[in-house]
Amino acid sequence: MTNKQDQSFLEIIWDFFCSLKLAITTLILLALTSIIGTVVQQGKPAQEYIQEYGERVYRVFVALDFVDMYHSWWFLTLLNIFAINLICCSIKRLPRILKLVKHPVLTPDEKHYRRFANRDEFTVPVAVDRAGDRLAVFMRKHFAAPVVTARDGRTHLFAQKMAWARFGVYVVHLSILIIFAGAIIGSVWGYKAYVNIAEGTSTDKVWPRDSQNPIAIGFEVRCDNFEVTYYPGTRRPKEFTSDLVVLEGGREVLKKTIEVNDPLSYRGLTFYQSSYGPAGEPVFKLTVTERSSGRKLKFEAQRGEHIALPDGSSFAVSDYTDSYKSFGPAIQMHLNDKTGKHGNAFVVFQRFPEFDAQRGGAYSFAVDSFEQQFYTGLQVAKDPGVWVVWTGCFLLVAGCFSAFFLSHRRIWLTIEPAGDGSLVRVAGNAHRNQPAFEIFFEDFKSRLKEELTGRQTPESSPLPAVEANT
Amino acid sequence: MLSIKLFNVTTIAYFGAMLAFISYLVIRNRTVALVANICCYVGFALHTAAIGMRWYESYQILGGDGRAPLSNLYESVVFFAWTILLIYILIDLKYRQRAIGAFVLPFAFFGMIWGQLYLSDAIDPLVPALQSNWLTYHVITCFLGYAAFAVACGVSIMYLIKARKGRDDGEDRDDGGVLALFPSTRVLDDINYKAIMIGFPLLSLGIITGAAWANYAWGTYWSWDPKETWSLIVWFVYAAFLHARFTRGWVGRKAAWLSVFGFAATIFCYLGVNLVLSGLHSYGGG
């Protein structure tokens, strides 16, 4: 069995983990250490650190885990202390609060009344039991239904409102633990990956960020089409969208056009539109007009490919853009004469098919279309803990609001015989927002006196009835 | 753009209010304080109109791509100043302590003057990542939180001036001079606490709406990005402050200092991260 010294040692540990000082210290330490990770970039390749800070500093950083500090043993230890502190201080305080709410003092004595700032006592010319009945009705009407206890010739009334507001702070503490749990679930059973899918192709694998080995996702995702639109006259993307199809065993089961801020979810995986890029070379479709005959010829060309024309010369597309200044899509091309001599480059606009005729020469060119195939870049996330995290977040906010803005209010009344009438004691207490409660209590008291001093006020009389002549 | 002119007049109104509040501290004439407050209310009304106007103008310039004016650094600074005035007016309606204006209005005025003189007020269309309603929820909650912390900081500075060392026993005494106009240390401490009580849940909501948006946009609700981390640092500081209220030795001056540090961290979270560090919230780069 444990001896006395062990006992006190355990108690010291327990008190240490329950203490408010530990909570404040941990919060401030977490704040201070978190700064490191915002100054030193996290999770970069070694060369980048060496380049910026030098070899020696880099080795110190690695030794102290500064390059991945949010996963370091010491930061996780701090978070653990934070969590243990939350649990311990809640365990320590919760029973007391539960007792206070569940087993309020129902038969208070004089000493109990003296503890409150909001209190009063006065005598009324009404017998105890009659006063008790009337006050029970009164309390229900003006505050909350009371618990009535008669003992030793005295009648005690007790009523409370929003007792559960006392638990707001524990809801906040619990919510933080729930958020931690959600984050742990996500990091153990979830992953973050990415995949690039060229238009018209599909994939059944994704590539995790921190590993070379792809993960099989158990179904196929196909990209039917990718599109990017720009704000008029600029290169600022307005929107990029991918038409995605989910296939199970070759059968289409789900179709969705995704865009940034509107992902596709299927079987616990979510696909987010995150980037895009060109896939392969575009194919240019051109109409060439022979000036002498007016004959129109159709060609398909790829960049750099020389295509022969009827008179023995040839042309080639050397470059393209889907936005040339404000004129829209355009290609750059040149002609080689019969001897193969390279001519000057010129620009042909897709939107202005007549434009090239002004250049002169044996042939004029118009761009019918050029199709650039794209790949769509998708982020893939699996996070089974995310709903746990949102539950925690909801509780956090709800707990904060109830802890800060709702108040547990209690009122006690005791009536005892005094001479011909009764002595009434009343006291009230609020655990938040004292000034507002003070005003309420003053009002409550004056109505109470009015109720008992015989002057029967009609139900609808506007209160508080302050004497005009005082 | 009409909104720019309205913002200019707003800035002038806040300048007037700030000067009047400071004069009030010097000459202690209640009429001056009233003038200051009228400037505040008129400025706030103009400010509200200007923000509405800019919203309307975004639709005129961008057509269907118009959006709430909350996306670039200029718009955020202007909105921040608006939220500071909103919280100030709420405190003024409740406590009627005009001297507080002298310590709160400068935050709003310097924000406005910085925005008007140095920041680009162009209305540009939004990149795809910002096209989300979460942007609005996130910005509004964060800045209301920041503004509450700004007011708490102003009040804490007053507290620290009034309760110089050895005088923070909560007793009211006849200070004479400027200090006589300050609310009592008890009231200052109370306002500091109340403002943080308003700001803390709002900051929590701001962090959560940001996390929800990040999760919706790219599948990670938390990625230890510098901005995210700094918002958490600010959260830790104010969580420490709230707990400090319950323990002896951490009230009064220490709590006031925590509030000032908290606001310094808030400002760094808002501006420093954008201007000094790199990360997702890059609107400060322009």
Side-chain angles (χ1 to χ4, degrees), chain A residues 322-342:
Chain A
D322 45 19
S323 172
Y324 185 88
K325 290 176 184 158
S326 57
F327 303 116
I331 61 168
Q332 189 189 53
M333 55 183 295
H334 65 268
L335 280 160
N336 287 354
D337 67 12
K338 288 166 208 159
T339 65
K341 196 172 145 243
H342 201 286

Side-chain angles (χ1 to χ4, degrees), chain A residues 20 24 27 30-31 34-35 38 41 70 183 192 231 236-238 260-261 263 272 381 383 389-390 393 397 404-405, chain B residues 65 125-126 128-129 131-132 197 208 212-213 215-221 224 229-230 233 236 240 242 246-247 277-278:
Chain A
L20 205 52
I24 297 169
L27 283 166
L30 278 170
S34 294
I35 297 173
T38 67
Q41 292 221 3
Y70 302 112
K192 306 267 181 275
Y231 285 108
R236 246 174 122 89
K238 178 178 175 178
V260 183
N261 279 315
Y272 301 86
D383 192 345
V389 171
W390 295 148
C393 288
V397 174
F404 294 150
F405 303 118
Chain B
D65 300 318
L126 295 179
Q131 294 163 12
S132 170
M197 242 167 58
I208 291 168
W213 180 15
N215 190 61
Y216 196 56
W218 51 82
T220 359
Y221 53 82
W224 294 107
T229 310
W230 269 95
I233 290 168
F236 283 142
L242 291 170
F246 303 118
T247 172
L277 307 173
S278 61

Side-chain angles (χ1 to χ4, degrees), chain B:
Chain B
M1 286 186 288
L2 177 61
S3 65
I4 303 292
K5 294 201 181 83
L6 284 172
F7 282 128
N8 278 330
V9 183
T10 305
T11 311
I12 293 166
Y14 292 164
F15 184 59
M18 187 175 83
L19 286 187
F21 276 131
I22 292 167
S23 324
Y24 167 58
L25 292 189
V26 178
I27 59 179
R28 281 180 267 161
N29 179 331
R30 292 199 66 81
T31 318
V32 178
L34 186 66
V35 169
N37 244 26
I38 289 171
C39 282
C40 280
Y41 282 70
V42 169
F44 184 69
L46 285 168
H47 202 159
T48 312
I51 289 174
M53 194 65 213
R54 188 172 167 95
W55 199 330
Y56 172 72
E57 283 165 354
S58 82
Y59 278 93
Q60 285 192 315
I61 292 172
L62 305 173
D65 300 318
R67 74 286 191 292
L70 301 170
S71 68
N72 58 28
L73 188 56
Y74 172 79
E75 289 172 341
S76 76
V77 168
V78 162
F79 184 67
F80 186 25
W82 185 85
T83 53
I84 290 174
L85 259 288
L86 178 73
I87 304 275
Y88 168 73
I89 285 173
L90 290 179
I91 299 263
D92 179 61
L93 289 175
K94 189 162 159 56
Y95 291 90
R96 311 218 161 264
Q97 296 281 0
R98 300 282 147 78
I100 293 170
F103 290 84
V104 172
L105 256 283
F107 292 124
F109 169 69
F110 288 115
M112 289 303 284
I113 200 86
W114 184 49
Q116 296 305 100
L117 292 182
Y118 297 104
L119 300 176
S120 160
D121 54 22
I123 297 181
D124 288 322
L126 295 179
V127 295
L130 293 183
Q131 294 163 12
S132 170
N133 284 334
W134 286 109
L135 171 71
T136 314
Y137 311 142
H138 177 55
V139 172
I140 289 177
T141 46
C142 281
F143 279 95
L144 281 172
Y146 291 180
F149 297 150
V151 171
C153 173
V155 170
S156 292
I157 292 170
M158 294 176 84
Y159 183 97
L160 291 170
I161 294 172
K162 186 144 181 158
R164 278 179 307 241
K165 217 164 182 59
R167 298 158 31 117
D168 52 342
D169 48 13
E171 291 281 312
D172 270 323
R173 55 190 101 208
D174 188 13
D175 287 292
V178 175
L179 293 185
L181 292 177
F182 284 21
S184 70
T185 47
R186 201 175 53 81
V187 169
L188 287 170
D189 187 58
D190 185 49
I191 297 176
N192 185 22
Y193 181 54
K194 290 254 166 67
I196 288 170
M197 242 167 58
I198 294 169
F200 188 75
L202 285 166
L203 175 72
S204 305
L205 256 181
I207 294 174
I208 291 168
T209 49
W213 180 15
N215 190 61
Y216 196 56
W218 51 82
T220 359
Y221 53 82
W222 193 261
S223 53
W224 294 107
D225 163 79
K227 188 83 166 190
E228 291 172 357
T229 310
W230 269 95
S231 68
L232 189 66
I233 290 168
V234 172
W235 194 88
F236 283 142
V237 173
Y238 287 107
F241 175 92
L242 291 170
H243 287 85
R245 292 287 298 197
F246 303 118
T247 172
R248 240 171 236 285
W250 277 87
V251 289
R253 290 172 54 82
K254 268 191 189 169
W257 275 115
L258 256 184
S259 175
V260 172
F261 283 130
F263 186 61
T266 305
I267 286 296
F268 191 80
C269 177
Y270 170 37
L271 296 172
V273 173
N274 295 107
L275 305 174
V276 181
L277 307 173
S278 61
L280 286 171
H281 294 68
S282 55
Y283 56 62

Side-chain angles (χ1 to χ4, degrees), chain A residues 98-318:
Chain A
L98 264 175
K99 192 173 159 229
L100 183 131
V101 170
K102 287 233 167 186
H103 307 289
V105 179
L106 292 176
T107 55
D109 53 14
E110 293 89 56
K111 230 170 77 194
H112 180 265
Y113 278 100
R114 255 177 266 136
R115 280 176 29 215
F116 295 103
N118 294 306
R119 65 162 195 270
D120 202 1
E121 72 181 63
F122 48 91
T123 50
V124 289
V126 187
V128 170
D129 14 326
R130 277 203 53 216
D133 294 343
R134 262 156 74 180
L135 285 185
V137 174
F138 174 85
M139 248 181 142
R140 177 175 297 127
K141 192 173 152 209
H142 293 290
F143 185 63
V147 179
V148 183
T149 319
R151 183 185 283 179
D152 308 333
R154 292 175 174 182
T155 304
H156 304 277
L157 287 86
F158 169 76
Q160 59 181 355
K161 265 182 152 174
M162 285 203 234
W164 44 271
R166 295 264 183 186
F167 298 102
V169 58
Y170 302 101
V171 171
V172 174
H173 288 178
L174 179 69
S175 72
I176 292 167
L177 297 173
I178 291 174
I179 292 172
F180 280 179
I184 292 168
I185 291 170
S187 71
V188 173
W189 286 288
Y191 58 78
K192 306 267 181 275
Y194 66 93
V195 63
N196 293 337
I197 312 176
E199 284 176 279
T201 68
S202 66
T203 183
D204 57 2
K205 291 189 207 66
V206 295
W207 280 260
R209 296 237 159 264
D210 48 5
S211 138
Q212 295 297 310
N213 307 319
I215 301 172
I217 54 176
F219 56 91
E220 249 180 291
V221 180
R222 191 175 72 210
C223 175
D224 280 352
N225 186 33
F226 173 84
E227 243 160 72
V228 53
T229 55
Y230 298 96
Y231 285 108
T234 67
R235 298 290 295 160
R236 246 174 122 89
K238 178 178 175 178
E239 205 169 66
F240 34 112
T241 61
S242 303
D243 297 340
L244 296 187
V245 180
V246 175
L247 302 142
E248 289 252 37
R251 248 190 34 253
E252 294 185 3
V253 290
L254 185 63
K255 266 187 170 177
K256 183 171 180 182
T257 303
I258 65 159
E259 58 182 299
V260 183
N261 279 315
D262 188 13
L264 165 98
S265 286
Y266 186 70
R267 290 220 309 210
L269 287 185
T270 310
F271 297 83
Y272 301 86
Q273 180 74 71
S274 76
S275 64
Y276 62 92
E281 280 288 312
V283 176
F284 305 96
K285 290 192 174 162
L286 302 167
T287 299
V288 181
T289 310
E290 195 173 41
R291 190 176 291 276
S292 54
S293 62
R295 189 156 60 111
K296 288 189 189 302
L297 307 159
K298 298 271 186 191
F299 291 100
E300 280 190 15
Q302 283 201 313
R303 181 154 61 165
E305 180 189 10
H306 278 88
I307 292 175
L309 289 163
D311 68 350
S313 62
S314 67
F315 73 88
V317 177
S318 51

